[in-house]
PDB file of all heavy atoms in Angstrom:
ATOM      1  N   ILE D 182     137.578  67.001  28.838  1.00 97.00           N
ATOM      2  CA  ILE D 182     138.283  68.246  28.781  1.00 97.00           C
ATOM      3  C   ILE D 182     138.337  68.714  27.315  1.00 97.00           C
ATOM      4  O   ILE D 182     138.301  67.837  26.422  1.00 97.00           O
ATOM      5  CB  ILE D 182     139.668  68.280  29.394  1.00 97.00           C
ATOM      6  CG1 ILE D 182     140.634  67.335  28.658  1.00 97.00           C
ATOM      7  CG2 ILE D 182     139.507  67.967  30.904  1.00 97.00           C
ATOM      8  CD1 ILE D 182     142.061  67.489  29.150  1.00 97.00           C
ATOM      9  N   ALA D 183     138.519  69.980  27.105  1.00 98.00           N
ATOM     10  CA  ALA D 183     138.736  70.513  25.743  1.00 98.00           C
ATOM     11  C   ALA D 183     139.635  71.768  25.895  1.00 98.00           C
ATOM     12  O   ALA D 183     139.665  72.412  26.882  1.00 98.00           O
ATOM     13  CB  ALA D 183     137.379  70.935  25.094  1.00 98.00           C
ATOM     14  N   LEU D 184     140.376  72.000  24.778  1.00 98.00           N
ATOM     15  CA  LEU D 184     141.338  73.108  24.760  1.00 98.00           C
ATOM     16  C   LEU D 184     140.846  74.139  23.759  1.00 98.00           C
ATOM     17  O   LEU D 184     140.563  73.854  22.637  1.00 98.00           O
ATOM     18  CB  LEU D 184     142.705  72.632  24.343  1.00 98.00           C
ATOM     19  CG  LEU D 184     143.793  73.645  24.313  1.00 98.00           C
ATOM     20  CD1 LEU D 184     144.115  74.229  25.710  1.00 98.00           C
ATOM     21  CD2 LEU D 184     145.120  73.039  23.757  1.00 98.00           C
ATOM     22  N   LEU D 185     140.730  75.400  24.243  1.00 98.00           N
ATOM     23  CA  LEU D 185     140.229  76.524  23.397  1.00 98.00           C
ATOM     24  C   LEU D 185     141.378  77.312  22.800  1.00 98.00           C
ATOM     25  O   LEU D 185     142.339  77.649  23.526  1.00 98.00           O
ATOM     26  CB  LEU D 185     139.253  77.384  24.176  1.00 98.00           C
ATOM     27  CG  LEU D 185     138.191  76.742  24.981  1.00 98.00           C
ATOM     28  CD1 LEU D 185     137.299  77.785  25.613  1.00 98.00           C
ATOM     29  CD2 LEU D 185     137.363  75.733  24.177  1.00 98.00           C
ATOM     30  N   PRO D 186     141.252  77.715  21.532  1.00 98.00           N
ATOM     31  CA  PRO D 186     142.249  78.568  20.956  1.00 98.00           C
ATOM     32  C   PRO D 186     142.069  80.034  21.463  1.00 98.00           C
ATOM     33  O   PRO D 186     140.962  80.458  21.782  1.00 98.00           O
ATOM     34  CB  PRO D 186     141.951  78.533  19.483  1.00 98.00           C
ATOM     35  CG  PRO D 186     140.508  78.222  19.353  1.00 98.00           C
ATOM     36  CD  PRO D 186     140.248  77.343  20.593  1.00 98.00           C
ATOM     37  N   CYS D 187     143.147  80.778  21.550  1.00 98.00           N
ATOM     38  CA  CYS D 187     143.102  82.179  22.003  1.00 98.00           C
ATOM     39  C   CYS D 187     142.889  83.068  20.806  1.00 98.00           C
ATOM     40  O   CYS D 187     143.725  83.900  20.418  1.00 98.00           O
ATOM     41  CB  CYS D 187     144.347  82.638  22.795  1.00 98.00           C
ATOM     42  SG  CYS D 187     144.308  82.033  24.455  1.00 98.00           S
ATOM     43  N   VAL D 188     141.780  82.838  20.073  1.00 97.00           N
ATOM     44  CA  VAL D 188     141.523  83.581  18.884  1.00 97.00           C
ATOM     45  C   VAL D 188     140.038  84.018  18.864  1.00 97.00           C
ATOM     46  O   VAL D 188     139.170  83.163  19.125  1.00 97.00           O
ATOM     47  CB  VAL D 188     141.761  82.656  17.604  1.00 97.00           C
ATOM     48  CG1 VAL D 188     141.352  83.422  16.311  1.00 97.00           C
ATOM     49  CG2 VAL D 188     143.207  82.246  17.563  1.00 97.00           C
ATOM     50  N   ASP D 189     139.879  85.290  18.596  1.00 97.00           N
ATOM     51  CA  ASP D 189     138.541  85.906  18.517  1.00 97.00           C
ATOM     52  C   ASP D 189     137.655  85.119  17.618  1.00 97.00           C
ATOM     53  O   ASP D 189     137.996  84.885  16.472  1.00 97.00           O
ATOM     54  CB  ASP D 189     138.695  87.320  18.059  1.00 97.00           C
ATOM     55  CG  ASP D 189     137.398  88.176  18.242  1.00 97.00           C
ATOM     56  OD1 ASP D 189     136.532  88.020  17.356  1.00 97.00           O
ATOM     57  OD2 ASP D 189     137.268  88.891  19.226  1.00 97.00           O
ATOM     58  N   GLY D 190     136.468  84.746  18.093  1.00 95.00           N
ATOM     59  CA  GLY D 190     135.539  84.002  17.211  1.00 95.00           C
ATOM     60  C   GLY D 190     135.722  82.552  17.276  1.00 95.00           C
ATOM     61  O   GLY D 190     134.711  81.769  17.414  1.00 95.00           O
ATOM     62  N   ALA D 191     136.985  82.096  17.242  1.00 98.00           N
ATOM     63  CA  ALA D 191     137.278  80.652  17.267  1.00 98.00           C
ATOM     64  C   ALA D 191     137.078  80.032  18.688  1.00 98.00           C
ATOM     65  O   ALA D 191     136.619  78.918  18.804  1.00 98.00           O
ATOM     66  CB  ALA D 191     138.642  80.363  16.784  1.00 98.00           C
ATOM     67  N   CYS D 192     137.404  80.783  19.699  1.00 98.00           N
ATOM     68  CA  CYS D 192     137.362  80.192  21.067  1.00 98.00           C
ATOM     69  C   CYS D 192     135.940  79.755  21.419  1.00 98.00           C
ATOM     70  O   CYS D 192     135.757  78.652  21.938  1.00 98.00           O
ATOM     71  CB  CYS D 192     137.940  81.171  22.086  1.00 98.00           C
ATOM     72  SG  CYS D 192     137.062  82.700  22.304  1.00 98.00           S
ATOM     73  N   GLU D 193     134.958  80.510  21.063  1.00 98.00           N
ATOM     74  CA  GLU D 193     133.551  80.113  21.370  1.00 98.00           C
ATOM     75  C   GLU D 193     133.038  79.034  20.575  1.00 98.00           C
ATOM     76  O   GLU D 193     132.289  78.213  20.927  1.00 98.00           O
ATOM     77  CB  GLU D 193     132.600  81.295  21.444  1.00 98.00           C
ATOM     78  CG  GLU D 193     132.359  82.008  20.121  1.00 98.00           C
ATOM     79  CD  GLU D 193     133.273  83.223  19.976  1.00 98.00           C
ATOM     80  OE1 GLU D 193     134.489  83.184  20.363  1.00 98.00           O
ATOM     81  OE2 GLU D 193     132.771  84.309  19.470  1.00 98.00           O
ATOM     82  N   ARG D 194     133.561  78.997  19.286  1.00 98.00           N
ATOM     83  CA  ARG D 194     133.104  77.973  18.360  1.00 98.00           C
ATOM     84  C   ARG D 194     133.605  76.595  18.826  1.00 98.00           C
ATOM     85  O   ARG D 194     132.847  75.566  18.895  1.00 98.00           O
ATOM     86  CB  ARG D 194     133.694  78.252  16.960  1.00 98.00           C
ATOM     87  CG  ARG D 194     132.741  77.853  15.841  1.00 98.00           C
ATOM     88  CD  ARG D 194     133.024  78.605  14.555  1.00 98.00           C
ATOM     89  NE  ARG D 194     134.431  78.776  14.379  1.00 98.00           N
ATOM     90  CZ  ARG D 194     135.003  80.028  13.966  1.00 98.00           C
ATOM     91  NH1 ARG D 194     134.302  81.062  13.818  1.00 98.00           N
ATOM     92  NH2 ARG D 194     136.328  80.029  13.834  1.00 98.00           N
ATOM     93  N   VAL D 195     134.923  76.541  19.227  1.00 98.00           N
ATOM     94  CA  VAL D 195     135.471  75.301  19.726  1.00 98.00           C
ATOM     95  C   VAL D 195     134.833  74.905  21.055  1.00 98.00           C
ATOM     96  O   VAL D 195     134.527  73.693  21.242  1.00 98.00           O
ATOM     97  CB  VAL D 195     137.008  75.431  19.943  1.00 98.00           C
ATOM     98  CG1 VAL D 195     137.577  74.215  20.584  1.00 98.00           C
ATOM     99  CG2 VAL D 195     137.676  75.697  18.576  1.00 98.00           C
ATOM    100  N   LEU D 196     134.510  75.847  21.853  1.00 98.00           N
ATOM    101  CA  LEU D 196     133.822  75.509  23.138  1.00 98.00           C
ATOM    102  C   LEU D 196     132.445  74.949  22.894  1.00 98.00           C
ATOM    103  O   LEU D 196     132.119  73.882  23.415  1.00 98.00           O
ATOM    104  CB  LEU D 196     133.658  76.809  23.949  1.00 98.00           C
ATOM    105  CG  LEU D 196     132.747  76.690  25.262  1.00 98.00           C
ATOM    106  CD1 LEU D 196     133.332  75.673  26.192  1.00 98.00           C
ATOM    107  CD2 LEU D 196     132.619  78.066  25.977  1.00 98.00           C
ATOM    108  N   LEU D 197     131.654  75.539  21.995  1.00 98.00           N
ATOM    109  CA  LEU D 197     130.313  75.014  21.682  1.00 98.00           C
ATOM    110  C   LEU D 197     130.379  73.644  20.986  1.00 98.00           C
ATOM    111  O   LEU D 197     129.519  72.788  21.264  1.00 98.00           O
ATOM    112  CB  LEU D 197     129.476  76.045  20.897  1.00 98.00           C
ATOM    113  CG  LEU D 197     129.147  77.298  21.755  1.00 98.00           C
ATOM    114  CD1 LEU D 197     128.391  78.333  20.926  1.00 98.00           C
ATOM    115  CD2 LEU D 197     128.361  76.944  23.010  1.00 98.00           C
ATOM    116  N   ASP D 198     131.321  73.479  20.122  1.00 98.00           N
ATOM    117  CA  ASP D 198     131.483  72.196  19.511  1.00 98.00           C
ATOM    118  C   ASP D 198     131.801  71.063  20.532  1.00 98.00           C
ATOM    119  O   ASP D 198     131.229  70.023  20.444  1.00 98.00           O
ATOM    120  CB  ASP D 198     132.678  72.217  18.505  1.00 98.00           C
ATOM    121  CG  ASP D 198     132.333  72.952  17.195  1.00 98.00           C
ATOM    122  OD1 ASP D 198     131.128  73.294  16.984  1.00 98.00           O
ATOM    123  OD2 ASP D 198     133.229  73.208  16.425  1.00 98.00           O
ATOM    124  N   ALA D 199     132.613  71.434  21.498  1.00 98.00           N
ATOM    125  CA  ALA D 199     132.904  70.482  22.560  1.00 98.00           C
ATOM    126  C   ALA D 199     131.683  70.131  23.382  1.00 98.00           C
ATOM    127  O   ALA D 199     131.453  68.981  23.783  1.00 98.00           O
ATOM    128  CB  ALA D 199     134.014  70.933  23.472  1.00 98.00           C
ATOM    129  N   VAL D 200     130.899  71.177  23.644  1.00 98.00           N
ATOM    130  CA  VAL D 200     129.655  70.917  24.384  1.00 98.00           C
ATOM    131  C   VAL D 200     128.717  69.994  23.638  1.00 98.00           C
ATOM    132  O   VAL D 200     128.113  69.083  24.190  1.00 98.00           O
ATOM    133  CB  VAL D 200     128.964  72.285  24.736  1.00 98.00           C
ATOM    134  CG1 VAL D 200     127.579  71.996  25.317  1.00 98.00           C
ATOM    135  CG2 VAL D 200     129.756  73.117  25.732  1.00 98.00           C
ATOM    136  N   ARG D 201     128.609  70.284  22.301  1.00 98.00           N
ATOM    137  CA  ARG D 201     127.689  69.461  21.519  1.00 98.00           C
ATOM    138  C   ARG D 201     128.207  68.038  21.372  1.00 98.00           C
ATOM    139  O   ARG D 201     127.412  67.087  21.361  1.00 98.00           O
ATOM    140  CB  ARG D 201     127.558  70.041  20.165  1.00 98.00           C
ATOM    141  CG  ARG D 201     126.701  71.327  20.143  1.00 98.00           C
ATOM    142  CD  ARG D 201     126.455  71.952  18.749  1.00 98.00           C
ATOM    143  NE  ARG D 201     125.935  73.320  18.929  1.00 98.00           N
ATOM    144  CZ  ARG D 201     126.545  74.375  18.665  1.00 98.00           C
ATOM    145  NH1 ARG D 201     127.783  74.403  18.202  1.00 98.00           N
ATOM    146  NH2 ARG D 201     125.983  75.565  18.863  1.00 98.00           N
ATOM    147  N   GLN D 202     129.561  67.907  21.332  1.00 98.00           N
ATOM    148  CA  GLN D 202     130.105  66.557  21.233  1.00 98.00           C
ATOM    149  C   GLN D 202     129.977  65.740  22.517  1.00 98.00           C
ATOM    150  O   GLN D 202     129.591  64.555  22.489  1.00 98.00           O
ATOM    151  CB  GLN D 202     131.610  66.686  20.884  1.00 98.00           C
ATOM    152  CG  GLN D 202     132.303  65.335  20.740  1.00 98.00           C
ATOM    153  CD  GLN D 202     133.881  65.566  20.734  1.00 98.00           C
ATOM    154  OE1 GLN D 202     134.363  66.621  20.404  1.00 98.00           O
ATOM    155  NE2 GLN D 202     134.569  64.487  21.066  1.00 98.00           N
ATOM    156  N   HIS D 203     130.264  66.441  23.685  1.00 97.00           N
ATOM    157  CA  HIS D 203     130.268  65.652  24.944  1.00 97.00           C
ATOM    158  C   HIS D 203     128.955  65.708  25.712  1.00 97.00           C
ATOM    159  O   HIS D 203     128.764  64.959  26.636  1.00 97.00           O
ATOM    160  CB  HIS D 203     131.403  66.180  25.881  1.00 97.00           C
ATOM    161  CG  HIS D 203     132.751  65.993  25.303  1.00 97.00           C
ATOM    162  ND1 HIS D 203     133.339  64.753  25.101  1.00 97.00           N
ATOM    163  CD2 HIS D 203     133.731  66.898  24.916  1.00 97.00           C
ATOM    164  CE1 HIS D 203     134.532  64.902  24.587  1.00 97.00           C
ATOM    165  NE2 HIS D 203     134.822  66.171  24.468  1.00 97.00           N
TER     166      HIS D 203
END
Side-chain angles (χ1 to χ4, degrees):
Chain D
I182 65 171
L184 181 64
L185 311 185
C187 282
V188 175
D189 191 278
C192 61
E193 63 263 42
R194 217 157 38 226
V195 173
L196 171 60
L197 291 177
D198 284 350
V200 170
R201 289 186 192 105
Q202 178 192 340
H203 296 295

